[in-house]
Amino acid sequence: MEAPFFPIIYVRGYAMTEGERNETAADPFCGFNVGSTMYRATVNRNEPPKKFIFESPFLRLASDFGYRDVYENGADIMDRDWQPPRGNTGIPARSVVIYRYYDAGSSIFGDGRSSDIEDYARGLDGLIQRVRELVCAQEPGLKPEAFRCYLVAHSMGGLVVRAFLQNKALGSVESRAAVDKVFTYATPHNGIDLLGINVPGWLTLDEINTFNHRRMAQYLALEAVATRYQRVDFVHESVFPLDRIFCLVGTNRSDYEVAKGLSRSFVGHGSDGLVKVENASVWGLDDNDVVTRTCATAYAYRSHSGHYGIVNSEEAYQNLVRFLFGDVRVDLWLQVDAVALPEEIDGKNVDALYQFELLARPRGKRWYLSRRVAEEDSPACRTHQQLTDPAAGAGARLVYLSTVFLANRAKVSTADRTLSYSMDVRIRVPDYEVDRAFWPNQHYEGSYLFRDSLVVVLEPPEQAGGDWMVKYSWESKNVGEANLRLPYQQLADDKLRMEVPFSGPASGPSIRGKVVLIAWAWNT
């Protein structure tokens, strides 16, 4: 196998009814072949969408990276009568394999009844073993213990993947060790909430209670953790490395049309129409069940599914392939050093909520790798107390924004090794409350304490251990070009820490701090 081009196993999301399971069984790629032509540029649904053709994840993986399907003469690799293509002994490493776990739950190929998620997790274990067998048969000299694959999952498919990885009773050690990376689209890692209440455990019809916290704690082997934190969106880093997990979060609830819009109404704001933004990523735990950090996360203005769905989008595809095959990873943070209040309320009992927005995209692209804005209910937030009270700790003043992956395959020429992107950094003026009453004087709701675009250009060393070249500029100082050398601190684990200062107005309400970039070579 040529790293990092390992087999991709796609695990589709939840199909509630028998009809939906039949529709899934009738689709060779379970939705991974669905493209789109519409791009929602604004939150205003009265404005027509832009035309933007995205051919589908499967087709783009085939055209861009040479991946192919594993169907042969109408049979799937799990069918008894499947035979490898003529002249082959197995399947190539660059294969897309669809986990067809709903076939048995359809009335077409099975009894029409859904199964427990534990059964789906065990089936994933068997599929990985089958893929390993066939890839090792095709690739000369590849030993089974060296085999690796990627798991890519939408919605409930991500819970199937986590059950397989986290519950030792649902998979073999060998299969879990073969998983190199996990990518999830809009997965309800902390369950599904309706009207602010978690799906009840007694709702067993069609396995709807799969998204109940208590039920999830069982199949994810997180009973003690769920009792301690009242959440289940955790992965022990000793079970699977958190750095190898990427969660893409949808933020467009308006275009989710399931049940004629009832779903988005019950789930509410701050969601993709089905999954709340705050429930769509995972956190790491150490061996003592202490929370360590969040996984790599990005945000896209896409709905859970449909014409504006998250899987069938250019933004999601670009995040996927950069995560799987990219060259550099950059974690984006904001460190807040100080905030200043309007003079009229300085020193009073003040409460406020600061909103931190981010729009990050590579050079010359119309789409965003990550998009977090207040109008889409996806900004990072901190209270005034968190940013000013020493008792809150330094961690409260360090705000995680997103993670981007960059790839040399997007370079503008063969001689150009640089990787560049821009990030709009915005910090909203909060709605100040003085003595628990809204303070409207001399204050414009929705304006910004800080707003500027940061351009970053990185050039990794040609050999391991060499020096990086990093340049930057704020667009307000220098438009369209990074012209300032950015010094970096070399961390112990071969990561770079870079800091770019920012500050708001010199007087009145203001904010001051640093954009913190943690970068390191990826897929080395």
Side-chain angles (χ1 to χ4, degrees):
M1 288 194 299
E2 179 191 356
F5 301 103
F6 304 144
I8 295 172
I9 298 177
Y10 178 68
V11 188
R12 68 147 289 151
Y14 178 57
M16 183 173 71
T17 65
E18 180 181 323
E20 290 174 347
R21 292 191 290 274
N22 286 343
E23 184 178 349
T24 298
D27 183 346
F29 297 98
C30 296
F32 205 50
N33 55 325
V34 177
S36 67
T37 61
M38 298 178 291
Y39 179 79
R40 184 74 79 187
T42 70
V43 296
N44 186 357
R45 295 188 74 200
N46 294 324
E47 294 186 16
K50 291 185 177 181
K51 185 178 181 181
F52 190 100
I53 296 176
F54 171 66
E55 302 93 318
S56 82
F58 175 78
L59 187 56
R60 288 289 293 278
L61 283 167
S63 61
D64 293 351
F65 298 98
Y67 274 77
R68 52 154 292 173
D69 65 78
V70 296
Y71 301 129
E72 187 66 23
N73 292 323
D76 179 61
I77 59 172
M78 299 301 285
D79 297 339
R80 292 182 179 180
D81 56 350
W82 182 87
Q83 295 291 329
R86 181 175 298 178
N88 295 337
T89 55
I91 61 174
R94 298 197 192 202
S95 293
V96 175
V97 180
I98 307 299
Y99 180 27
R100 302 184 56 82
Y101 65 92
Y102 270 134
D103 283 2
S106 69
S107 59
I108 299 173
F109 300 116
D111 57 13
R113 293 195 296 268
S114 60
S115 300
D116 292 335
I117 195 169
E118 289 89 344
D119 293 331
Y120 303 147
R122 294 187 188 96
L124 179 58
D125 176 77
L127 178 60
I128 292 174
Q129 293 183 35
R130 177 62 170 159
V131 174
R132 179 183 60 187
E133 171 193 346
L134 292 173
V135 171
C136 289
Q138 179 68 19
E139 305 291 344
L142 178 63
K143 297 181 179 179
E145 57 269 24
F147 168 81
R148 295 292 182 270
C149 66
Y150 300 130
L151 300 182
V152 178
H154 174 230
S155 191
M156 191 190 81
L159 299 181
V160 174
V161 168
R162 285 183 59 201
F164 156 73
L165 289 173
Q166 296 181 233
N167 192 330
K168 295 181 179 180
L170 303 180
S172 63
V173 174
E174 296 78 12
S175 294
R176 286 194 293 270
V179 178
D180 187 80
K181 299 189 187 88
V182 172
F183 184 99
T184 66
Y185 305 90
T187 289
H189 288 291
N190 191 50
I192 290 178
D193 297 338
L194 302 174
L195 298 177
I197 301 173
N198 184 228
V199 168
W202 51 262
L203 199 56
T204 59
L205 179 67
D206 291 317
E207 302 300 319
I208 297 177
N209 67 337
T210 298
F211 311 105
N212 169 263
H213 282 174
R214 182 174 297 180
R215 176 77 179 97
M216 293 176 70
Q218 292 174 351
Y219 62 74
L220 295 174
L222 288 175
E223 287 91 344
V225 173
T227 300
R228 180 173 180 176
Y229 293 105
Q230 301 301 305
R231 297 184 70 89
V232 290
D233 47 350
F234 299 107
V235 173
H236 283 94
E237 297 206 55
S238 59
V239 172
F240 193 82
L242 197 68
D243 284 341
R244 316 300 285 182
I245 301 175
F246 189 107
C247 295
L248 189 64
V249 181
T251 62
N252 178 7
R253 64 184 287 269
S254 299
D255 286 310
Y256 189 59
E257 299 295 345
V258 168
K260 297 183 178 180
L262 283 177
S263 171
R264 64 171 182 256
S265 299
F266 282 116
V267 175
H269 291 281
S271 74
D272 62 8
L274 181 63
V275 180
K276 300 285 284 186
V277 168
E278 63 187 21
N279 291 338
S281 57
V282 296
W283 295 76
L285 293 174
D286 64 18
D287 290 337
N288 296 316
D289 290 345
V290 176
V291 179
T292 55
R293 56 202 171 117
T294 185
C295 71
T297 307
Y299 300 78
Y301 187 59
R302 308 294 296 197
S303 60
H304 192 78
S305 62
H307 298 312
Y308 301 91
I310 194 167
V311 176
N312 50 308
S313 70
E314 184 74 24
E315 304 98 303
Y317 173 76
Q318 294 294 338
N319 276 291
L320 172 67
V321 298
R322 282 167 162 76
F323 173 63
L324 298 184
F325 315 133
D327 301 293
V328 174
R329 168 177 173 154
V330 185
D331 295 333
L332 310 176
W333 301 75
L334 278 186
Q335 178 180 313
V336 178
D337 295 331
V339 293
L341 295 170
E343 294 181 3
E344 295 83 353
I345 60 175
D346 194 11
K348 296 183 179 181
N349 182 19
V350 176
D351 194 11
L353 186 70
Y354 296 81
Q355 297 175 318
F356 300 86
E357 300 180 338
L358 171 75
L359 293 163
R361 61 182 169 187
R363 173 173 47 197
K365 305 302 181 183
R366 291 186 292 165
W367 37 263
Y368 295 102
L369 285 173
S370 194
R371 171 170 159 167
R372 305 187 69 176
V373 294
E375 287 81 1
E376 297 160 18
D377 303 312
S378 58
C381 298
R382 291 291 188 276
T383 65
H384 184 73
Q385 182 179 8
Q386 287 176 311
L387 297 181
T388 58
D389 188 351
R397 295 189 292 276
L398 189 61
V399 183
Y400 173 72
L401 295 179
S402 198
T403 297
V404 297
F405 292 86
L406 306 174
N408 272 324
R409 294 166 191 83
K411 58 182 178 285
V412 296
S413 71
T414 56
D416 186 1
R417 297 185 61 255
T418 60
L419 301 164
S420 64
Y421 66 98
S422 67
M423 48 187 293
D424 292 355
V425 181
R426 309 171 183 175
I427 305 173
R428 292 262 188 171
V429 175
D431 297 332
Y432 297 110
E433 290 184 7
V434 180
D435 296 325
R436 297 188 178 183
F438 175 61
W439 183 74
N441 298 335
Q442 301 177 23
H443 166 66
Y444 295 93
E445 180 182 355
S447 56
Y448 290 91
L449 291 175
F450 177 81
R451 182 176 184 176
D452 208 340
S453 294
L454 177 65
V455 177
V456 180
V457 176
L458 305 98
E459 184 174 336
E462 294 191 31
Q463 296 181 348
D467 293 331
W468 289 63
M469 186 283 292
V470 186
K471 292 184 178 182
Y472 80 100
S473 69
W474 288 108
E475 291 271 19
S476 61
K477 307 295 184 183
N478 187 63
V479 178
E481 181 184 4
N483 62 341
L484 300 175
R485 288 297 293 263
L486 181 59
Y488 60 82
Q489 175 189 0
Q490 187 81 48
L491 303 181
D493 49 3
D494 293 328
K495 298 178 182 179
L496 313 181
R497 179 186 173 95
M498 297 160 282
E499 297 181 351
V500 181
F502 70 88
S503 60
S507 61
S510 184
I511 192 164
R512 174 171 53 84
K514 306 177 188 71
V515 177
V516 179
L517 311 173
I518 307 295
W520 70 95
W522 190 245
N523 283 323
T524 55

